[in-house]
Amino acid sequence: MTVILPSLPPQIPGTTAVTPDNPSRIRQSAEALESAFLAEMLKNAGVFKPSESFGGGEGEAQFTSFIADAHARAMVARGGIGLADHIERTLIARQGGGV
């Protein structure tokens, strides 16, 4: 059984090489989407629900949102749940007309 995977287009002269330290714009977009998804999941799960220990209020709720966003970005930086990989492959395939 032969599996054919989409390949990245050749490097265009004058553009920056894609390396782990310099991800492509497609990869950055895919990771941003996965991060936003994970942040919403964390918020809806109530993981960072304000504890009312500081008196509650809008300020506490706002900073709790920032914590969820930061944790989501950290999760994606460590590999996430693989959603960015799937998004990246799909976008590359569509860019090349594969899908």
Side-chain angles (χ1 to χ4, degrees), residues 27 30-31 34-35 38 71-86:
R27 181 64 188 188
E31 288 180 356
E34 181 177 10
S35 178
L38 288 173
H71 277 275
R73 284 192 306 274
M75 289 170 66
V76 171
R78 289 172 179 78
I81 59 173
L83 185 59
D85 297 331
H86 291 287

Side-chain angles (χ1 to χ4, degrees), residues 36-85:
F37 174 78
L38 288 173
E40 285 303 313
M41 291 285 105
L42 291 171
K43 290 173 196 173
N44 287 324
V47 175
F48 301 106
K49 199 173 217 177
S51 63
E52 301 293 330
S53 60
F54 293 109
E58 288 300 315
E60 190 172 353
Q62 185 64 40
F63 284 107
T64 300
S65 174
F66 292 151
I67 292 171
D69 292 340
H71 277 275
R73 284 192 306 274
M75 289 170 66
V76 171
R78 289 172 179 78
I81 59 173
L83 185 59
D85 297 331

